[in-house]
Amino acid sequence: MGERPHTANRTSRTVVQLDFHFQEQPYTQNSDTLYYSSYRHLKWDDFQGTPSPNGPSAAVSYTSFAYEGSSRLYKDTLHITLLLQVFFVKSASWVRPGYQTEYGLAHEQLHFDITRLVVERFKQRLKQTALNRDDYDSVIQYQYLEAFKEMNRFQYAFDRDTHSGMNAAAQAKWRDKVTMGLKNNGNLPEELGNDINRIPFRQN
């Protein structure tokens, strides 16, 4: 999925052009990595890990994100291409026997959706960040680490507010928040001045 490039003029006269793509691979049953797709939601068969013997969780989704970058200088333009990867690891994700409910699966899907939301926010921050040919790599890496910390905060807040899915009303509000965020370049309802669910999106 490509997007129109982002350009910015710098004092060095070099134009920095950013181009984003998302890793999308056809689903293969033998692969341990499942890349995020709006056309395929998680299934309980994707949870192939061994449940933890301790802890209260009925299921655990291992979701994360990464990027691969390349650059090419042509005349006065530095072309930077980022391949964004949002993924679910089957062997590290598990569900306890007897807990494979439709509602529980929706909770785990929201964890995956939150990861995708965070990557959209990461992408939008990069589009708004001044980059130059001398230190663009360190700036991108810094924003990546900040996004990774944000993902952990959001995931924790989601489980805290929903009591790990036991609060159906709170889960429905989070679903609406995340859905709106994905439709609005990563911006959450309260950031748009439209907190339709009236639940503060606390990060701490």
Side-chain angles (χ1 to χ4, degrees):
M1 181 174 68
E3 296 205 357
R4 297 182 64 181
H6 168 68
T7 60
N9 288 307
R10 303 289 164 242
T11 55
S12 62
R13 295 179 57 197
T14 298
V15 176
V16 177
Q17 176 176 295
L18 266 177
D19 191 22
F20 298 93
H21 300 273
F22 277 91
Q23 178 86 50
E24 292 185 350
Q25 276 184 210
Y27 174 73
T28 55
Q29 188 172 0
N30 295 329
S31 175
D32 190 39
T33 301
L34 180 63
Y35 290 100
Y36 187 92
S37 171
S38 59
Y39 302 104
R40 185 194 185 278
H41 285 183
L42 294 175
K43 301 178 181 179
W44 282 126
D45 288 345
D46 299 326
F47 293 72
Q48 299 178 1
T50 302
S52 170
N54 302 311
S57 298
V60 167
S61 296
Y62 187 101
T63 69
S64 193
F65 70 98
Y67 73 90
E68 295 178 3
S70 62
S71 63
R72 179 174 63 90
L73 184 63
Y74 180 71
K75 295 184 178 179
D76 63 346
T77 301
L78 179 65
H79 299 269
I80 303 173
T81 301
L82 293 184
L83 179 64
L84 304 173
Q85 303 164 326
V86 185
F87 56 88
F88 171 97
V89 180
K90 297 178 183 179
S91 61
S93 304
W94 51 261
V95 57
R96 297 191 192 282
Y99 286 91
Q100 292 111 326
T101 65
E102 183 177 347
Y103 175 79
L105 188 59
H107 180 86
E108 300 308 318
Q109 179 65 47
L110 266 171
H111 276 296
F112 205 5
D113 293 339
I114 288 170
T115 303
R116 174 64 180 83
L117 172 70
V118 167
V119 174
E120 185 63 31
R121 292 166 67 85
F122 166 60
K123 184 184 77 173
Q124 295 301 326
R125 279 197 296 270
L126 284 179
K127 291 172 68 174
Q128 299 167 15
T129 299
L131 298 175
N132 62 65
R133 60 179 294 180
D134 298 321
D135 67 351
Y136 70 88
D137 190 51
S138 62
V139 172
I140 292 173
Q141 180 67 13
Y142 171 79
Q143 291 293 350
Y144 169 76
L145 293 174
E146 289 298 298
F148 202 90
K149 289 187 287 186
E150 182 178 63
M151 177 187 69
N152 289 333
R153 292 196 303 269
F154 282 12
Q155 300 286 15
Y156 171 79
F158 172 50
D159 273 338
R160 179 199 61 211
D161 292 347
T162 64
H163 300 286
S164 296
M166 297 180 66
N167 187 328
Q171 181 159 309
K173 292 176 180 180
W174 267 83
R175 179 198 62 213
D176 292 344
K177 283 178 180 287
V178 173
T179 298
M180 181 173 286
L182 289 172
K183 291 180 178 178
N184 288 278
N185 298 319
N187 292 303
L188 296 163
E190 51 269 46
E191 295 169 337
L192 296 169
N194 182 28
D195 190 2
I196 57 175
N197 295 306
R198 300 179 183 177
I199 286 185
F201 196 85
R202 298 172 296 168
Q203 297 187 29
N204 300 318

